[in-house]
């Protein structure tokens, strides 16, 4: 038998055990498999001490003053046991949307302060009934110390605000009573429903079936739902949300429905049902019954399964009423690029023009956490947006004890704090381009610093002077300032995830990043460690007309590549179709006279250019759209490995990758009416060949054999999978992202790692 104690400490869990060597070995061996579901084991450090002769195994009180991130778990989807409770008519939690236990339920989104205890959560407002309290106090019970424990008698309730209700009464009986009142301004005009959860969600189901849009309060914020099979509903949501083409995610009841709509690999299946319950990008089956406007021109759709008993109950009701197979749009409750809405009154105000009805509840969301988005590439998880379910899980850095703040970049911003050798990346905050998102950034910084007891000694930021995150960093007084080049941060984030030391080959390919020479970088090959980098190679720069503002118009960079390659552009119908004659003349003049242009080595812009050259897309409504379409088109090509186009490498420093030979061959293919899929596939092969070729050179010149792939371009599964395979075949050790996104959402982690290392070296 083992005796001793367990204690939550600032460094994690501390366990002291006494027993025979074999029982201790067996105990340690069993830890990873038998630890509670929410425990994450990074590392087991063991040391022997003299036996103390303890009599029993006890749980020691945790040290609140020193407690750290170990005590702020992420929000976790409902567990099987709780689902079973809510589906059992004999159970007291039958149909109860807020059922949870020690293994599941809200955490990060409801925690006000540490230690994580009920009075420190938004559940403090609810007094547990006798039944719940008994469960909470019983060590044998699944709900022992489950802080958000609740039931229909004592816990949170749904509240329906349904302006159209008077014309559509429902016959559901009321089984719960409610004494809630609504305090929002619009409730004067609304019929406030005080009915059972089932009655309320039945009404929601009816509204969805009528093609209405419903805003409902999910785990980390409001979600907007409508019938994804009904084109008019989806198009109306796009119109009201001012979101023209960016794909919407859908929610379906279970993996069976997901598989009826999309191809699902075993790995994708595993992530769909994982307790983080992210949106998983899946390839749609041809001809399925989903509105085209769910993800226009895109063969992939983001799919997520219900993550709370509330979502599950709605889908059960939908199944009862519609038969199986409901598919709902489930998108963030926000206005275009603003943060997700979390407050009831705020929802009715901000989403007034979008939602036809509101399903609120009275459990406050303290911290907004959007849905996470992932993709599976070569069987591996690739995070695209890291939020609910993942944040605020720390990443072990092990680069000293320094406490730093990293402010991230601009697009898909996150911030990151470090403490005690851990980095804690925030949840996805959004594009730092409006006041609301900046406010969310500041609020998150304030709360995370408090929760994790971080007092930063230094602040790391991107070199781009126009980023609000950089401006914020430079306004902070009394902190050491550490400016970090954008692509260096990308590579460092990949290194930090894999805990790499020493120098690596860093392939940082993205849309835009501020270079140390003041131009726009984005197709970079860096020889890098945490302390610095050499720009070994880059894509040969071309001019970007109108600077960064041109990213919505891929045709501009297509013209630039054409002029760069041929000197002039023939006035044939093909090339004249890119824009109006007037616009073409203006941009061509800017490019030839080099007025209002900026050189860029961006790989993202090259993908844009090719999408425009082959006539796929001349202008886009969100960044990365053209590249996404190009990848999708390439997937339609039957040959998995067509010949790459030609390119040359210069012997200058930095080495320039010259694509003029490729553009010549590609234009010849276009003139010869070669298929879009064929050209797109050859282009992808060319990009992979370029990366392999430059990495080989760096290996022989610099004796480096480890490659880190980072930057938004590596969200492209075809590019990433091809690079992983080809580089590994060539003997490289290759690392890509699994914990934070390859896009700018990962920048803050890289900045944090660099800052910690700099502080360690400067003493
Ligand atoms: Zn549970
Ligand atoms: Zn209760
Ligand atoms: Fe970037």
């Amino acid at each position: 038998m083992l005796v001793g104690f367990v204690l939550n400490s600032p460094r994690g869990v501390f366990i002291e055990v006494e027993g025979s060597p074999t029982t201790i070995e067996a105990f340690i061996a069993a830890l990873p498999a038998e630890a509670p579901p929410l425990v994450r084991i990074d590392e087991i450090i063991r040391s022997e001490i003299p036996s103390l002769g303890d009599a029993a195994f006890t749980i020691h009180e945790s040290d609140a003053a020193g407690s750290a991130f170990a005590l702020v778990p992420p929000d976790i989807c409902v567990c099987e046991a709780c689902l079973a409770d809510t589906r059992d008519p004999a159970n007291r939690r039958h149909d109860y949307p807020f059922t949870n236990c020690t293994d599941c339920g809200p955490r990060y989104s409801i925690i006000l302060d540490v230690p994580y205890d009920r009075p420190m959560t938004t559940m403090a407002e609810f007094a547990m009934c006798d039944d719940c309290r008994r469960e909470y106090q019983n060590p044998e019970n699944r709900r022992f110390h489950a802080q958000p424990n609740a039931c229909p008698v004592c816990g949170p309730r749904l509240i329906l605000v349904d302006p159209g209700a008077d014309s559509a009464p429902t016959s559901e009986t009321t089984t719960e009573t409610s004494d809630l009142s609504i305090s929002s301004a619009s409730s004067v005009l609304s019929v406030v429903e005080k009915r059972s959860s089932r009655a309320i969600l039945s009404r929601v189901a009816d509204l969805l079936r009528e093609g209405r849009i419903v805003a409902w309060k999910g785990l980390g914020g409001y979600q907007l739902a409508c019938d994804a099979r009904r084109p008019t509903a989806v198009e109306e949501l796009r119109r009201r949300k001012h979101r023209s083409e960016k794909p919407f995610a859908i929610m379906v009841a279970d993996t069976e429905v997901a598989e009826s709509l999309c191809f699902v690999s075993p790995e994708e299946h595993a992530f769909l049902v994982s307790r983080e319950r992210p949106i998983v990008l899946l390839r749609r089956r041809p001809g399925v019954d989903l509105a085209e406007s769910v993800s226009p021109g895109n063969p992939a759709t983001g799919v997520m399964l219900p993550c709370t008993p509330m979502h599950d109950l709605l889908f059960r009701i939908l199944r009862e009423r519609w038969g199986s197979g409901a598919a709902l749009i489930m998108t963030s409750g926000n206005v275009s690029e603003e943060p997700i809405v979390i407050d009831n009154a705020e929802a009715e105000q901000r989403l007034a023009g979008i939602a036809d009805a509101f399903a609120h509840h009275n459990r406050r969301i303290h911290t907004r956490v959007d849905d996470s988005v992932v993709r599976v590439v070569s069987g591996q998880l690739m995070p695209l947006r890291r939020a609910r379910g993942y944040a605020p899980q720390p990443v072990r850095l092990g680069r000293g004890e320094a406490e730093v703040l990293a402010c991230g970049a601009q697009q898909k911003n996150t911030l990151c704090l470090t403490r005690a050798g851990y980095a804690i990346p925030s949840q996805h905050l959004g594009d730092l381009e409006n006041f609301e998102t900046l406010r969310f950034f500041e609020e998150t910084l304030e709360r995370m610093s408090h929760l994790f007891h971080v007092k930063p000694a230094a602040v790391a930021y991107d070199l781009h002077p126009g980023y609000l995150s950089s401006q914020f960093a430079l306004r902070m007084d009394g902190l050491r300032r550490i400016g970090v080049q954008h692509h260096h941060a990308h590579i460092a984030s990949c290194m930090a995830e894999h805990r790499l030391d020493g120098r690596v080959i860093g392939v940082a390919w993205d849309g835009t990043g501020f270079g140390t020479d003041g131009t726009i970088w984005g197709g970079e090959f860096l020889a890098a460690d945490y302390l610095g980098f050499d720009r070994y190679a880059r894509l040969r720069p071309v001019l970007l007309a109108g600077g960064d503002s041109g990213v919505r118009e891929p045709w501009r960079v297509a013209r630039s590549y054409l002029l760069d390659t041929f000197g002039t552009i023939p006035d044939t119908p093909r090339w004249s179709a890119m824009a109006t004659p007037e616009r073409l003349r203006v941009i061509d003049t800017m490019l030839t006279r080099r007025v209002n242009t900026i050189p860029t080595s961006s790989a993202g812009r090259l993908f844009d250019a090719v999408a425009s050259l082959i006539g796929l897309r001349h202008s886009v409504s969100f960044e990365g759209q053209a590249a996404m379409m190009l990848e999708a088109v390439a997937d339609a090509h039957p040959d998995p490995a067509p010949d790459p186009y030609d390119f040359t490498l210069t012997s200058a420093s930095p080495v320039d990758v010259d694509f003029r030979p490729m553009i010549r061959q590609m234009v010849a293919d276009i003139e010869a009416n070669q298929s879009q899929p064929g050209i797109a596939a050859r282009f992808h092969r060319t990009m992979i060949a370029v990366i392999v070729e430059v990495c080989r050179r760096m290996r022989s010149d610099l004796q480096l054999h480890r490659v880190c792939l980072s930057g938004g371009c590596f969200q492209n599964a075809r590019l990433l999978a091809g690079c992983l395979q080809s580089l590994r075949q060539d003997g490289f050790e290759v690392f890509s992202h699994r914990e934070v996104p390859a896009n700018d959402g990962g920048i803050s982690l890289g900045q944090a790692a660099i800052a910690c290392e700099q502080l360690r070296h400067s003493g």
Side-chain angles (χ1 to χ4, degrees):
M1 192 188 108
L2 290 172
V3 294
F5 65 89
V6 57
L7 166 78
N8 253 324
S9 87
R11 305 293 168 81
V13 175
F14 186 87
I15 306 173
E16 207 175 287
V17 284
E18 277 181 45
S20 71
T22 45
T23 49
I24 291 180
E25 285 310 322
F27 173 78
I28 293 173
L31 268 182
E34 289 183 19
L38 296 189
V39 167
R40 196 181 85 167
I41 300 180
D42 283 330
E43 179 175 36
I44 299 175
I45 304 167
R46 35 191 300 189
S47 56
E48 266 180 57
I49 55 167
S51 174
L52 299 171
D54 282 338
F57 194 88
T58 50
I59 299 171
H60 285 201
E61 288 289 313
S62 47
D63 166 18
S67 53
F69 31 78
L71 298 178
V72 184
D75 301 287
I76 291 301
C77 80
V78 57
C79 73
E80 285 302 320
C82 285
L83 263 192
D85 287 350
T86 65
R87 289 172 176 181
D88 173 9
N91 193 289
R92 71 190 191 91
R93 290 190 173 84
H94 182 230
D95 283 349
Y96 183 56
F98 304 95
T99 303
N100 66 84
C101 74
T102 331
D103 296 338
C104 77
R107 299 285 189 276
Y108 183 45
S109 62
I110 60 164
I111 292 177
L112 307 169
D113 206 344
V114 285
Y116 172 49
D117 208 355
R118 185 157 174 127
M120 301 293 201
T121 70
T122 61
M123 284 300 293
E125 296 154 26
F126 300 89
M128 264 185 263
C129 68
D130 289 346
D131 286 339
C132 285
R133 181 155 303 279
R134 266 193 294 277
E135 295 165 340
Y136 183 85
Q137 289 170 341
N138 176 7
E140 307 285 294
N141 195 284
R142 205 173 84 238
R143 299 196 165 91
F144 176 57
H145 280 210
Q147 308 303 349
N149 189 25
C151 78
V153 174
C154 65
R157 296 172 173 283
L158 292 177
I159 307 154
L160 184 67
V161 175
D162 179 6
D166 37 16
S167 61
T170 75
S171 57
E172 299 289 330
T173 53
T174 301
T175 57
E176 296 165 33
T177 54
S178 171
D179 53 1
L180 297 164
S181 56
I182 290 269
S183 56
S184 85
S186 63
S187 64
V188 184
L189 304 170
S190 312
V191 176
V192 179
E193 302 288 330
K194 295 182 181 176
R195 289 182 297 179
S196 73
S197 304
R198 175 169 274 274
I200 286 177
L201 291 180
S202 297
R203 174 69 186 144
V204 169
D206 287 344
L207 286 165
L208 293 171
R209 189 169 201 180
E210 287 165 19
R212 303 299 186 84
I213 297 163
V214 179
W216 68 333
K217 196 173 181 177
L219 199 46
Y222 276 79
Q223 293 171 317
L224 288 160
C226 74
D227 183 359
R229 300 193 196 270
R230 187 190 278 254
T232 49
V234 181
E235 281 150 28
E236 183 61 16
L237 177 58
R238 286 205 174 278
R239 199 183 60 73
R240 294 187 193 172
K241 209 170 182 269
H242 305 294
R243 178 155 155 158
S244 58
E245 290 176 303
K246 216 168 179 178
F248 281 138
I250 62 169
M251 184 178 274
V252 296
D254 50 38
T255 51
E256 217 172 289
V257 182
E259 276 168 26
S260 74
L261 295 172
C262 298
F263 299 98
V264 184
S265 72
E267 293 86 4
E268 288 164 337
H269 185 279
F271 290 116
L272 271 178
V273 301
S274 69
R275 57 178 180 255
E276 291 85 4
R277 282 295 146 91
I279 295 166
V280 182
L281 281 195
L282 300 174
R283 199 156 56 84
R284 263 193 324 280
R285 291 180 189 275
V288 292
D289 178 20
L290 269 186
E292 165 64 22
S293 45
V294 171
S295 39
N298 190 327
T301 296
V303 180
M304 129 177 85
L305 301 185
C307 59
T308 71
M310 179 177 72
H311 294 85
D312 179 69
L313 176 55
L314 177 66
F315 275 93
R316 277 190 285 138
I317 294 168
L318 289 172
R319 189 181 293 267
E320 290 161 18
R321 303 197 160 195
W322 297 8
S324 62
L328 299 180
I329 297 284
M330 202 58 73
T331 187
S332 308
N334 58 4
V335 185
S336 51
E337 302 299 324
E338 290 178 7
I340 188 168
V341 169
I342 53 172
D343 176 73
N344 298 13
E346 184 194 13
E348 284 184 46
Q349 196 186 29
R350 300 198 86 92
L351 305 178
I354 302 177
D356 296 310
F358 296 86
H360 303 297
H361 59 69
N362 61 340
R363 183 178 72 202
R364 271 196 308 120
I365 298 172
H366 181 64
T367 295
R368 44 189 115 232
V369 204
D370 226 314
D371 294 318
S372 294
V373 186
V374 305
R375 192 171 186 186
V376 175
V377 180
S378 305
Q380 288 290 338
L381 179 81
M382 177 168 77
L384 298 175
R385 181 164 84 191
R386 184 181 179 278
R388 177 181 52 74
Y390 300 96
Q393 289 273 51
V395 175
R396 227 176 82 73
L397 270 188
R399 320 216 68 79
E401 306 277 300
E403 298 189 2
V404 309
L405 158 65
C407 293
Q410 175 104 329
Q411 307 286 321
K412 304 178 171 69
N413 180 273
T414 59
L415 61 86
C416 183
L417 293 169
T418 68
R419 178 172 190 248
Y422 280 88
I424 313 147
S426 74
Q427 70 272 36
H428 164 84
L429 302 177
D431 296 348
L432 271 186
E433 284 166 353
N434 53 56
F435 173 77
E436 288 76 12
T437 310
L438 181 63
R439 186 61 213 111
F440 182 25
F441 174 96
E442 290 170 350
E443 170 191 288
T444 305
L445 172 58
E446 211 175 280
R447 288 183 182 172
M448 283 180 63
S449 312
H450 181 77
L451 276 180
F452 301 111
H453 305 284
V454 179
K455 285 196 183 59
V459 57
Y461 59 94
D462 196 278
L463 297 179
H464 198 304
Y467 285 180
L468 292 186
S469 56
S470 309
Q471 292 168 4
F472 177 87
L474 294 171
R475 280 198 304 271
M476 294 189 86
D477 286 327
L479 298 191
R480 182 161 157 186
R481 292 165 181 172
I482 300 174
V484 180
Q485 199 279 324
H486 188 92
H487 302 94
H488 186 205
H490 270 309
I491 298 308
S493 72
C494 185
M495 291 175 70
E497 261 189 37
H498 296 278
R499 279 173 239 154
L500 302 181
D501 271 309
R503 256 177 141 207
V504 302
I505 297 171
V507 184
W509 278 23
D510 66 2
T512 299
F514 196 78
T516 51
D517 57 2
T519 70
I520 298 175
W521 293 10
E524 312 308 310
F525 294 87
L526 311 178
D529 58 21
Y530 294 106
L531 291 178
F533 68 92
D534 287 318
R535 192 188 194 193
Y536 182 91
R538 61 176 180 182
L539 306 194
R540 183 172 158 277
V542 297
L543 294 177
L544 208 52
D548 263 359
S549 63
V551 299
R552 294 282 166 99
E553 298 189 318
W555 66 268
R556 293 197 203 186
V557 65
R559 303 292 286 190
S560 184
Y561 269 100
L562 287 173
L563 283 169
D564 180 53
T565 305
F566 300 106
T568 57
I569 302 172
D571 194 12
T572 60
R574 186 184 310 278
W575 307 124
S576 308
M578 293 174 145
T580 64
E582 177 59 20
R583 304 274 290 134
L584 289 177
R585 203 160 41 241
V586 169
I587 295 300
D588 287 355
T589 308
M590 280 160 74
L591 289 169
T592 44
R593 294 199 190 147
R594 300 179 159 257
V595 182
N596 193 13
T597 58
I598 186 161
T600 183
S601 55
S602 164
R605 293 296 87 80
L606 176 56
F607 277 80
D608 283 355
V610 172
S612 172
L613 286 175
I614 67 173
L616 194 58
R617 196 76 198 207
H618 296 308
S619 60
V620 294
S621 58
F622 60 95
E623 203 195 350
Q625 186 183 10
M628 269 167 58
M629 294 179 73
L630 195 63
E631 179 191 352
V633 162
D635 284 342
H637 188 63
D639 182 356
D643 286 339
Y645 289 114
D646 291 339
F647 59 90
T648 58
L649 303 184
T650 66
S651 50
S653 178
V655 170
D656 273 341
V657 183
D658 187 343
F659 285 112
R660 284 174 295 187
M662 175 185 80
I663 298 291
R664 267 185 220 107
Q665 290 171 330
M666 195 182 282
V667 166
D669 276 358
I670 294 165
E671 305 280 8
N673 290 316
Q674 293 287 322
S675 76
Q676 283 181 339
I679 299 173
R682 285 189 73 185
F683 169 70
H684 277 81
R685 283 313 298 175
T686 312
M687 295 301 104
I688 295 160
V690 163
I691 288 173
V692 171
E693 197 50 44
V694 176
C695 287
R696 279 187 189 145
R697 260 213 208 182
M698 292 179 78
R699 178 168 58 190
S700 68
D701 278 6
L702 308 169
Q703 281 73 53
L704 300 175
H705 68 279
R706 293 176 303 171
V707 181
C708 286
L709 304 173
S710 189
C713 290
F714 291 103
Q715 298 171 102
N716 179 319
R718 195 179 185 87
L719 178 70
L720 177 59
C723 286
L724 289 173
Q725 199 198 8
S726 299
L727 287 167
R728 281 176 183 151
Q729 254 167 24
D730 217 80
F732 289 98
E733 226 185 312
V734 196
F735 302 90
S736 61
H737 286 278
R738 291 177 200 176
E739 292 201 57
V740 297
N743 62 44
D744 286 2
I747 287 279
S748 64
L749 174 65
Q751 293 172 339
I754 288 169
C756 284
E757 190 71 358
Q758 285 201 9
L759 292 178
R760 200 153 74 122
H761 280 258
S762 60

